Amino acid sequence: MQKNIAMVALLAVAGAAQAAENADLAAIRVQIDEMKKSYEQRIAALEQKLAQAESRGSSPSAPVVVEAIQPAAASASSFNPEVSLILQGQYKNMKDVAERGITGFYPAGGHDHGDGSIPGISKRGFSVDHTELVLAANVDPYWRGQAIVAMVDGSAEVEEAWFQSLGLGGGIGLKGGRFRSGIGYLNEQHPHMWDFADAPLMYRAMFGDEGSYVQDGVQFKWLAPTDTFIEFGAEAGRGAAFPGTDRNRNGSGAASAFAHVGGDVGMSNNWRAGVSYLKTKAKEREGHFDDIGGVEALGKFTGDSATWLADFVWKWAPNGNPQYRNFKFQAEYFNRREQGHLLCDDADASSPGACSGGVNSGYRTRQSGWYAQGVYQFIPNWRAGLRYEQLDSGQRDFGINAANLALADYRPKKASAMVDYSWSEFSRVRLQLAQDKSMLGITDNQLTLQYVMSLGAHGAHKF
């Protein structure tokens, strides 16, 4: 009897040891995978140097004079870009609203791909969202390039096309071309990286229905040589995207600056906080309003727009290993001031209203908003999350146009809950329920079923 008990005890100890060993092996595999992703660019740069040396006839038996090797364009046969394709689609069940907007905020429009069709945020039933083709590669040991082409319903658009420095030294980074601005936290992330099926109301109010600010210009970053993560950045660009307009002028039409700081708290926690500022100008920026008689009016704003943002992110994973369980909390706040002139006229000359003949007056607003969300991976592959968001239409002075337009003070709000399942980091399906009160007098209960599939090379996501 005692021998049987001892045997059972030994088997239990062996099983526990095996389980612990398996857990350790899994953690090691995760760390190796993260190291591979981290050093991917460095390895590519070294391979490029080797290719250059080999193309010049170098061999292990013949010493290479380093000074004689100059940067040269890679041959066509060595061009091996990273290619990926992002597939997104969804099913939406929600109310049929003719022109979705956010009550109390200037209609932002956005760069909808399906010109003349139903805008993406208003599509009910089944639809294909952005299909993104991504091409990226190191140009040489000193520069890297990437282009993203978005395709929807027979049309295509260059969403990003930029080059980026690899080795300027001193923590300095330079990017040029078309890119997602570094302001805020969510702005740099592509939709397939979002934790929810849609952008927060805050980002739609700031930058339009696409929920991001894209800049044609240059970006400068500096990473401080400290144990604590400290980053500063500045951008100058065309400023054609909302809240600005394309003014076809020399020089810069928009400027931004941002600072981020972060670090680790023990083995299981890390965080990042930031503050950003965007200044741009608009010339005859169009937006549709309702006048006091219920007739659609066309507003054209000319003036300055200044936006402040603050962001905070906290991540938790047991012993720094997010494979089995992890939690992420993020929140952002914005405050925008605009000042200039608003021209109010009839949207349809055949239906004159209170703005008939065009009425120009002063325009001044101060508005704000925020969102907060938490996402918890409770077991491998499964996550659940909650998000709450609220805006404040704030102070709005439309001058004499206030007597012509039907303006309402309102605090748009929305609450969302989601659960998603990921077979791997390349495939995910998500169910999201939301109660949208962003439009005065309308409570829209929404259901969204979304899939996100990534094909090909897929680099590590940002923090």
Side-chain angles (χ1 to χ4, degrees):
M1 181 66 178
Q2 292 179 346
K3 290 182 178 181
N4 292 337
I5 294 175
M7 182 62 69
V8 170
L10 287 174
L11 290 174
V13 171
Q18 183 65 35
E21 183 179 354
N22 291 340
D24 291 341
L25 290 174
I28 292 172
R29 291 191 185 99
V30 171
Q31 293 175 8
I32 291 174
D33 185 61
E34 291 176 351
M35 291 175 65
K36 286 180 180 178
K37 292 178 180 178
S38 175
Y39 283 94
E40 182 178 352
Q41 289 189 0
R42 298 184 184 181
I43 293 173
L46 291 174
E47 288 177 345
Q48 182 70 32
K49 290 182 179 180
L50 178 60
Q52 291 177 355
E54 290 176 344
S55 66
R56 292 177 175 272
S58 304
S59 66
S61 59
V64 178
V65 181
V66 177
E67 291 78 11
I69 299 177
Q70 298 297 328
S75 63
S77 61
S78 65
F79 180 63
N80 186 24
E82 304 158 18
V83 181
S84 62
L85 191 66
I86 309 298
L87 304 177
Q88 289 188 134
Q90 61 188 8
Y91 172 83
K92 268 192 175 183
N93 189 300
M94 59 185 183
K95 287 187 175 180
D96 184 13
V97 179
E99 291 188 21
R100 286 186 175 270
I102 302 176
T103 301
F105 286 78
Y106 203 102
H111 52 288
D112 183 66
H113 300 280
D115 187 24
S117 65
I118 301 172
I121 61 169
S122 298
K123 285 184 178 179
R124 301 188 299 162
F126 291 99
S127 65
V128 175
D129 204 347
H130 286 69
T131 298
E132 294 185 347
L133 176 63
V134 184
L135 300 173
N138 285 9
V139 179
D140 54 32
Y142 313 104
W143 300 96
R144 179 174 177 80
Q146 177 172 292
I148 299 178
V149 180
M151 299 164 284
V152 172
D153 295 334
S155 62
E157 177 182 81
V158 178
E159 287 211 338
E160 290 193 66
W162 48 259
F163 65 89
Q164 184 179 42
S165 63
L166 292 177
L168 295 182
I172 298 174
L174 181 66
K175 180 186 286 188
R178 176 173 296 179
F179 52 87
R180 290 174 180 264
S181 173
I183 58 177
Y185 175 72
L186 197 66
N187 192 74
E188 279 191 303
Q189 299 181 14
H190 285 263
H192 73 274
M193 299 167 57
W194 295 347
D195 292 318
F196 288 79
D198 50 10
L201 293 177
M202 167 180 159
Y203 272 84
R204 285 179 50 205
M206 289 192 300
F207 306 132
D209 293 336
E210 295 296 324
S212 62
Y213 186 72
V214 179
Q215 182 80 290
D216 287 3
V218 293
Q219 179 192 78
F220 172 86
K221 283 185 178 181
W222 179 67
L223 182 64
T226 58
D227 293 336
T228 301
F229 172 77
I230 301 176
E231 176 189 68
F232 296 96
E235 300 167 349
R238 189 175 185 86
F242 188 91
T245 59
D246 194 348
R247 296 179 293 139
N248 191 26
R249 62 185 294 274
N250 294 324
S252 172
S256 62
F258 51 86
H260 299 124
V261 60
D264 296 329
V265 180
M267 290 287 294
S268 302
N269 299 275
N270 48 57
W271 62 277
R272 200 198 82 165
V275 61
S276 309
Y277 177 74
L278 171 66
K279 179 68 177 293
T280 187
K281 294 179 178 291
K283 182 178 180 180
E284 297 186 348
R285 187 184 73 197
E286 294 187 354
H288 289 254
F289 302 84
D290 289 332
D291 71 10
I292 54 175
V295 178
E296 188 177 42
L298 176 64
K300 295 183 178 181
F301 167 69
T302 299
D304 298 327
S305 178
T307 305
W308 283 98
L309 296 93
D311 61 87
F312 178 77
V313 181
W314 185 281
K315 292 184 178 183
W316 167 85
N319 297 317
N321 179 10
Q323 183 176 5
Y324 300 103
R325 286 188 301 149
N326 64 78
F327 175 76
K328 176 183 177 183
F329 171 83
Q330 72 184 63
E332 295 189 73
Y333 168 86
F334 88 97
N335 186 291
R336 169 174 289 166
R337 297 186 180 186
E338 293 191 325
Q339 182 175 350
H341 296 276
L342 181 71
L343 176 66
C344 183
D345 207 347
D346 296 319
D348 184 356
S350 63
S351 301
C355 290
S356 180
V359 180
N360 201 349
S361 70
Y363 176 87
R364 185 191 302 266
T365 64
R366 181 177 179 179
Q367 301 178 307
S368 61
W370 60 273
Y371 78 90
Q373 68 181 54
V375 176
Y376 178 51
Q377 178 179 304
F378 47 94
I379 57 175
N381 308 108
W382 284 96
R383 304 189 311 161
L386 296 173
R387 182 175 74 190
Y388 184 80
E389 44 199 311
Q390 182 171 302
L391 309 180
D392 186 355
S393 60
Q395 302 174 3
R396 295 180 296 161
D397 181 3
F398 285 16
I400 59 175
N401 275 321
N404 301 320
L405 300 176
L407 303 174
D409 292 330
Y410 188 59
R411 291 191 175 185
K413 56 182 67 70
K414 185 177 180 180
S416 305
M418 78 83 184
V419 59
D420 61 30
Y421 178 82
S422 300
W423 288 269
S424 69
E425 61 179 310
F426 304 102
S427 57
R428 172 173 291 167
V429 64
R430 174 183 291 126
L431 175 65
Q432 178 173 307
L433 302 175
Q435 185 176 80
D436 187 348
K437 295 183 178 180
S438 60
M439 296 164 286
L440 180 63
I442 299 177
T443 298
D444 190 7
N445 296 316
Q446 305 171 350
L447 179 149
T448 304
L449 183 62
Q450 180 192 46
Y451 66 83
V452 181
M453 304 289 175
S454 303
L455 291 71
H458 190 72
H461 290 166
K462 294 180 179 294
F463 177 85

